[in-house]
Amino acid sequence: MATVGTNKLNLYNGALIECGEGRLSSVTELRKPRYLLDDVYDRVLEECLQAGDWNFALREVKAAADTTVTESFGFTETIGKPTDWIRTAAISASDNYNPPLLDAEYQDNTDHWATNQTPIYVKYVSNDAEWGLRLDAWPASFTRYVEVALADRIIIALTQNMNDKERLERLALPRAKRNALGKDAQNSGTRFPRTSTWNNARGSRNGAERGNWSSFTG
């Protein structure tokens, strides 16, 4: 279930409570904690989204090769990534993701996929404002994960206490991340690991699941 009313101020105040600091009245309040949170906010959200194949952030795209670009590293096709791409969750030449592309059948580069297939179908974690960065659609467990991650990033600057930092880094943050990933997995169908070339040779090539994703065609 989504956290009702989750917004930037909620995240800031959740992080400050974790740090033992007073709440902000707004995200424009002229206080040191707010400046520190502003500095790390975008990066922390990106890192948290990169940490898992979050159901609430997953999009689908059917992508074709860019015919104006020649791939020079053993593959024939270059397929540009969407601008809101954060992390690849599944990739296949089939629209039902069965079979998935093997590790040896594509390369996941910074701004494109290289492969011998076109088109391809990709599930990916999105940082679009209507997907991964739609804060009011976040599950409570992911909200908590982000709050603790924000706190971990600023706590030394606020408290100058290494014990506070160690408590967050060794205990609270890993626990919040595990809980968020675990709760998210409960909302998924059966997931199959990406199949390697070695496993395929042993006859164990598995397809990716068809979960409850929204989709669009690129």
Side-chain angles (χ1 to χ4, degrees):
M1 186 173 71
T3 302
V4 177
T6 298
N7 55 39
K8 191 173 186 178
L9 181 60
N10 296 152
L11 294 174
Y12 278 19
N13 283 332
L16 292 176
I17 290 170
E18 193 66 38
C19 294
E21 290 287 322
R23 292 172 176 264
L24 295 170
S25 59
S26 74
V27 293
T28 60
E29 187 173 339
L30 304 180
R31 285 176 52 199
K32 178 181 178 180
R34 173 235 148 172
Y35 300 138
L36 292 172
L37 287 164
D38 282 350
D39 286 344
V40 303
Y41 180 77
D42 290 339
R43 183 60 180 167
V44 167
L45 263 60
E46 180 178 357
E47 290 174 355
C48 289
L49 286 173
Q50 287 175 336
D53 297 337
W54 310 104
N55 284 287
F56 65 87
L58 280 178
R59 300 186 79 171
E60 291 187 6
V61 62
K62 176 184 177 182
D66 184 344
T67 57
T68 67
V69 178
T70 301
E71 183 60 45
S72 59
F73 295 101
F75 294 104
T76 60
E77 312 296 342
T78 297
I79 301 174
K81 290 180 176 178
T83 57
D84 61 328
W85 174 91
I86 286 290
R87 170 187 171 116
T88 303
I91 185 168
S92 177
S94 170
D95 63 0
N96 66 5
Y97 297 93
N98 186 13
L101 291 185
L102 304 176
D103 287 348
E105 292 176 315
Y106 75 99
Q107 186 171 355
D108 201 324
N109 297 305
T110 302
D111 60 356
H112 70 278
W113 294 286
T115 179
N116 293 327
Q117 307 286 338
T118 186
I120 58 173
Y121 298 83
V122 185
K123 291 178 186 176
Y124 68 96
V125 176
S126 165
N127 66 357
D128 187 270
E130 294 301 317
W131 296 83
L133 291 184
R134 183 183 167 188
L135 274 58
D136 64 354
W138 285 0
S141 56
F142 186 80
T143 297
R144 170 63 177 164
Y145 173 38
V146 174
E147 290 173 350
V148 178
L150 287 167
D152 176 66
R153 195 62 59 87
I154 68 168
I155 196 164
I156 286 295
L158 282 177
T159 71
Q160 291 80 49
N161 189 326
M162 280 303 301
N163 289 333
D164 291 338
K165 175 70 171 177
E166 289 179 7
R167 172 182 61 82
L168 288 174
E169 204 161 74
R170 296 178 58 188
L171 298 174
L173 184 56
R175 185 185 300 123
K177 180 179 179 180
R178 286 195 305 271
N179 184 56
L181 288 169
K183 293 288 178 58
D184 191 72
Q186 292 173 10
N187 296 323
S188 302
T190 302
R191 295 198 178 209
F192 298 94
R194 188 171 66 186
T195 310
S196 68
T197 306
W198 183 85
N199 281 335
N200 186 52
R202 293 173 59 86
S204 60
R205 184 170 184 170
N206 295 315
E209 84 291 354
R210 290 293 289 174
N212 183 25
W213 320 122
S214 298
S215 65
F216 72 99
T217 300

Coordinates of all heavy atoms in Angstrom, one line a residue, residues 21-57:
E21 N 17.1 15.2 14.9 CA 16.9 16.6 14.7 C 15.5 17.0 14.6 O 14.6 16.2 14.4 CB 17.6 17.0 13.4 CG 19.1 16.9 13.4 CD 19.8 18.0 14.2 OE1 19.3 19.1 14.1 OE2 20.8 17.7 14.8
G22 N 15.2 18.3 14.8 CA 13.9 18.8 14.8 C 13.4 18.9 13.3 O 14.1 18.9 12.4
R23 N 12.0 18.8 13.2 CA 11.4 18.8 11.9 C 11.5 20.2 11.2 O 11.7 21.2 11.8 CB 9.9 18.5 12.0 CG 9.6 17.1 12.5 CD 8.1 17.0 12.8 NE 7.7 15.6 13.2 CZ 7.2 14.7 12.3 NH1 7.1 15.0 11.1 NH2 6.9 13.5 12.8
L24 N 11.4 20.1 9.9 CA 11.3 21.3 9.1 C 9.8 21.7 8.9 O 9.0 20.8 8.8 CB 11.9 21.1 7.7 CG 13.4 20.9 7.6 CD1 13.8 20.4 6.2 CD2 14.2 22.1 8.0
S25 N 9.5 22.9 8.8 CA 8.1 23.3 8.5 C 7.8 23.4 7.0 O 6.7 23.3 6.6 CB 7.8 24.7 9.1 OG 8.7 25.7 8.6
S26 N 8.9 23.5 6.2 CA 8.7 23.5 4.8 C 10.1 23.1 4.2 O 11.1 23.2 4.8 CB 8.3 24.9 4.3 OG 9.3 25.8 4.3
V27 N 10.1 22.8 2.9 CA 11.3 22.5 2.2 C 12.1 23.8 1.7 O 13.1 23.7 1.0 CB 11.1 21.6 1.0 CG1 10.6 20.2 1.4 CG2 10.1 22.2 0.0
T28 N 11.6 24.9 2.1 CA 12.3 26.2 1.9 C 12.8 26.8 3.2 O 13.3 28.0 3.1 CB 11.4 27.2 1.1 OG1 10.2 27.5 1.9 CG2 11.0 26.6 -0.2
E29 N 12.6 26.2 4.3 CA 13.0 26.7 5.6 C 14.5 27.0 5.6 O 15.3 26.1 5.2 CB 12.6 25.8 6.7 CG 12.8 26.4 8.1 CD 12.3 25.5 9.2 OE1 11.4 24.6 8.9 OE2 12.7 25.6 10.4
L30 N 14.9 28.1 6.2 CA 16.3 28.5 6.1 C 17.1 27.9 7.3 O 17.4 28.6 8.3 CB 16.5 30.0 6.1 CG 15.7 30.7 5.0 CD1 15.9 32.2 5.1 CD2 16.2 30.2 3.6
R31 N 17.4 26.6 7.2 CA 18.1 25.9 8.3 C 19.1 25.0 7.6 O 18.9 24.5 6.5 CB 17.1 25.0 9.1 CG 16.3 25.8 10.1 CD 15.3 24.9 10.8 NE 16.0 23.8 11.4 CZ 15.3 22.6 11.8 NH1 14.0 22.5 11.6 NH2 16.0 21.6 12.3
K32 N 20.2 24.7 8.4 CA 21.3 23.9 7.9 C 20.8 22.5 7.4 O 21.2 22.0 6.4 CB 22.4 23.8 8.9 CG 23.5 22.8 8.5 CD 24.6 22.8 9.6 CE 25.7 21.8 9.2 NZ 26.7 21.7 10.3
P33 N 19.9 21.8 8.3 CA 19.5 20.5 7.8 C 18.8 20.4 6.4 O 19.1 19.5 5.7 CB 18.5 20.1 8.9 CG 18.9 20.8 10.1 CD 19.4 22.1 9.6
R34 N 18.1 21.5 6.1 CA 17.4 21.5 4.8 C 18.5 21.7 3.7 O 18.4 21.0 2.7 CB 16.4 22.7 4.8 CG 15.8 22.9 3.4 CD 16.1 24.3 3.0 NE 16.2 24.5 1.6 CZ 16.3 25.7 1.0 NH1 16.2 26.8 1.8 NH2 16.5 25.8 -0.3
Y35 N 19.5 22.5 3.9 CA 20.5 22.7 2.9 C 21.3 21.4 2.7 O 21.6 21.0 1.5 CB 21.5 23.8 3.3 CG 20.9 25.1 3.5 CD1 21.3 25.9 4.6 CD2 20.0 25.7 2.7 CE1 20.7 27.2 4.8 CE2 19.4 26.9 2.9 CZ 19.8 27.7 3.9 OH 19.2 28.9 4.1
L36 N 21.6 20.7 3.8 CA 22.3 19.4 3.6 C 21.4 18.4 2.8 O 21.9 17.7 2.0 CB 22.6 18.8 5.0 CG 23.7 19.6 5.8 CD1 23.8 19.1 7.2 CD2 25.0 19.6 5.1
L37 N 20.1 18.3 3.2 CA 19.3 17.4 2.5 C 19.1 17.8 1.0 O 19.1 16.9 0.1 CB 17.9 17.4 3.2 CG 17.9 16.6 4.5 CD1 16.6 17.0 5.3 CD2 18.0 15.1 4.3
D38 N 19.0 19.1 0.7 CA 18.9 19.5 -0.7 C 20.1 19.0 -1.5 O 20.0 18.6 -2.6 CB 18.9 21.0 -0.8 CG 17.5 21.6 -0.4 OD1 16.5 20.9 -0.3 OD2 17.4 22.9 -0.3
D39 N 21.3 19.1 -0.9 CA 22.5 18.7 -1.6 C 22.6 17.2 -2.0 O 23.2 16.9 -3.0 CB 23.8 19.0 -0.7 CG 24.1 20.5 -0.6 OD1 23.5 21.3 -1.5 OD2 24.8 20.9 0.3
V40 N 22.0 16.4 -1.2 CA 22.1 14.9 -1.4 C 20.8 14.3 -1.9 O 20.8 13.1 -2.3 CB 22.5 14.2 -0.1 CG1 23.8 14.7 0.5 CG2 21.4 14.3 1.0
Y41 N 19.7 15.0 -2.0 CA 18.4 14.5 -2.3 C 18.4 13.7 -3.6 O 18.0 12.5 -3.7 CB 17.4 15.6 -2.3 CG 16.0 15.1 -2.6 CD1 15.2 14.5 -1.6 CD2 15.4 15.4 -3.8 CE1 13.9 14.1 -1.9 CE2 14.1 15.0 -4.1 CZ 13.3 14.4 -3.2 OH 12.1 14.0 -3.5
D42 N 18.7 14.4 -4.7 CA 18.6 13.7 -6.0 C 19.5 12.5 -6.1 O 19.1 11.5 -6.7 CB 19.0 14.7 -7.1 CG 18.0 15.8 -7.3 OD1 16.9 15.7 -6.9 OD2 18.4 16.9 -7.8
R43 N 20.7 12.6 -5.6 CA 21.6 11.4 -5.7 C 21.1 10.2 -4.9 O 21.2 9.1 -5.3 CB 23.0 11.8 -5.2 CG 24.1 10.7 -5.4 CD 24.2 10.3 -6.8 NE 25.2 9.2 -6.9 CZ 25.3 8.4 -8.0 NH1 24.5 8.6 -9.0 NH2 26.2 7.5 -8.0
V44 N 20.6 10.5 -3.7 CA 20.1 9.4 -2.8 C 18.9 8.8 -3.5 O 18.8 7.5 -3.5 CB 19.8 10.0 -1.4 CG1 18.9 8.9 -0.6 CG2 21.0 10.3 -0.6
L45 N 18.0 9.5 -4.0 CA 16.9 8.9 -4.7 C 17.3 8.0 -5.9 O 16.8 6.9 -6.1 CB 15.9 10.0 -5.2 CG 14.7 10.3 -4.2 CD1 15.2 10.7 -2.9 CD2 13.7 11.3 -4.8
E46 N 18.3 8.5 -6.6 CA 18.8 7.7 -7.8 C 19.4 6.4 -7.3 O 19.1 5.3 -7.8 CB 19.8 8.5 -8.5 CG 20.4 7.7 -9.7 CD 21.4 8.5 -10.6 OE1 21.6 9.7 -10.2 OE2 21.9 8.0 -11.5
E47 N 20.2 6.5 -6.2 CA 20.8 5.3 -5.7 C 19.8 4.3 -5.1 O 19.9 3.1 -5.3 CB 21.8 5.7 -4.6 CG 23.1 6.4 -5.2 CD 24.0 6.9 -4.1 OE1 23.6 6.7 -2.9 OE2 25.1 7.4 -4.4
C48 N 18.8 4.8 -4.5 CA 17.7 3.9 -3.9 C 17.0 3.2 -5.1 O 16.6 2.0 -5.0 CB 16.8 4.7 -3.0 SG 17.5 5.2 -1.4
L49 N 16.6 4.0 -6.1 CA 16.0 3.3 -7.3 C 16.8 2.3 -7.9 O 16.3 1.3 -8.4 CB 15.5 4.4 -8.3 CG 14.3 5.3 -7.9 CD1 14.2 6.4 -8.9 CD2 13.1 4.5 -7.8
Q50 N 18.1 2.5 -8.0 CA 19.1 1.6 -8.6 C 19.2 0.3 -7.8 O 19.7 -0.7 -8.3 CB 20.4 2.2 -8.8 CG 20.5 3.3 -9.9 CD 21.9 4.0 -9.9 OE1 22.6 4.0 -8.9 NE2 22.2 4.5 -11.0
A51 N 18.8 0.3 -6.6 CA 19.0 -0.8 -5.6 C 18.1 -2.0 -5.9 O 18.4 -3.1 -5.3 CB 18.9 -0.4 -4.2
G52 N 17.1 -1.9 -6.7 CA 16.2 -3.0 -6.9 C 15.3 -2.9 -8.1 O 15.2 -1.8 -8.7
D53 N 14.6 -3.9 -8.5 CA 13.7 -3.9 -9.6 C 12.3 -3.6 -9.1 O 11.3 -4.4 -9.1 CB 13.6 -5.2 -10.4 CG 15.0 -5.5 -11.0 OD1 15.7 -4.6 -11.3 OD2 15.2 -6.7 -11.3
W54 N 12.1 -2.4 -8.5 CA 10.9 -2.0 -7.8 C 9.7 -2.0 -8.7 O 9.6 -1.4 -9.8 CB 11.1 -0.6 -7.2 CG 12.4 -0.4 -6.5 CD1 13.5 0.3 -6.9 CD2 12.7 -0.9 -5.2 NE1 14.5 0.2 -6.0 CE2 14.0 -0.5 -4.9 CE3 12.0 -1.6 -4.2 CZ2 14.6 -0.8 -3.7 CZ3 12.6 -1.9 -3.0 CH2 13.9 -1.5 -2.8
N55 N 8.7 -2.7 -8.2 CA 7.4 -2.8 -9.0 C 6.8 -1.5 -9.4 O 6.3 -1.3 -10.5 CB 6.4 -3.7 -8.3 CG 6.7 -5.2 -8.4 OD1 6.6 -5.8 -9.4 ND2 7.2 -5.7 -7.2
F56 N 6.8 -0.6 -8.4 CA 6.1 0.7 -8.7 C 6.9 1.6 -9.7 O 6.3 2.5 -10.2 CB 6.0 1.5 -7.3 CG 7.4 1.9 -6.7 CD1 8.0 3.1 -7.1 CD2 8.0 1.1 -5.8 CE1 9.2 3.4 -6.6 CE2 9.2 1.5 -5.3 CZ 9.8 2.6 -5.7
A57 N 8.1 1.2 -10.0 CA 9.0 2.1 -10.9 C 9.2 1.4 -12.2 O 9.9 2.0 -13.1 CB 10.3 2.4 -10.2

